[in-house]
Amino acid sequence: MSVNFLRAFLAVVAMAAVSIATPVQAASYKELVSQGYKTGKLTRGPSGAQGWILSKDKTREFCLMTATSAYVGKNGMVAFTSAGRQVKIDRKVFESHAGSAGPLPQLEDLNAGRPGPDDVGVCRPVK
């Protein structure tokens, strides 16, 4: 009986160690929106990073912005620095050197809380 008890005890300890060592999976923006979370306006998180607060009932998540640049109207463009500042870029000059910037978001949409899934990184619970 003591051998069976020891095996059972070791199995419980092993399962506990695995569950503690398993990292918490961050939710994705797509998953949260599909669950009914509403996206707030572009803001800064506790670390100063730019992103959005998603909320549903009393649950809130902060999702990081991954967009590195955005269009401003028809001719303007901004780039986001790692410090979260916006630097104006001449869109025509940029595109003449880098080619078409592709499907970039409009700054107006980012500010209003209408990011595309590609503009949003990991989401973490807000405490």
Side-chain angles (χ1 to χ4, degrees), residues 13 19 21 23 54 58-59 71 74 77 93-94:
V13 169
S19 67
L54 275 69
K58 294 182 180 182
T59 307
Y71 293 134
K74 293 184 180 185
M77 194 172 176
V93 172
F94 177 84

Side-chain angles (χ1 to χ4, degrees), residues 2-59:
S2 65
V3 172
N4 288 336
F5 174 77
L6 182 59
R7 285 183 183 165
F9 177 74
L10 290 175
V12 169
V13 169
M15 288 188 302
V18 169
S19 67
I20 291 171
T22 305
V24 175
Q25 177 117 10
S28 78
Y29 178 72
K30 282 182 177 181
E31 289 171 352
L32 293 172
V33 170
S34 71
Q35 294 172 14
Y37 280 75
K38 301 297 180 199
T39 307
K41 294 182 179 182
L42 185 63
T43 187
R44 291 193 185 276
S47 69
Q50 289 186 304
W52 299 270
I53 299 283
L54 275 69
S55 58
K56 178 182 175 187
D57 301 326
K58 294 182 180 182
T59 307

Side-chain angles (χ1 to χ4, degrees), residues 87-104:
V87 179
K88 290 183 182 180
I89 298 174
D90 185 314
R91 183 173 170 177
K92 288 183 182 180
V93 172
F94 177 84
E95 289 178 349
S96 71
H97 291 285
S100 174
L104 295 178

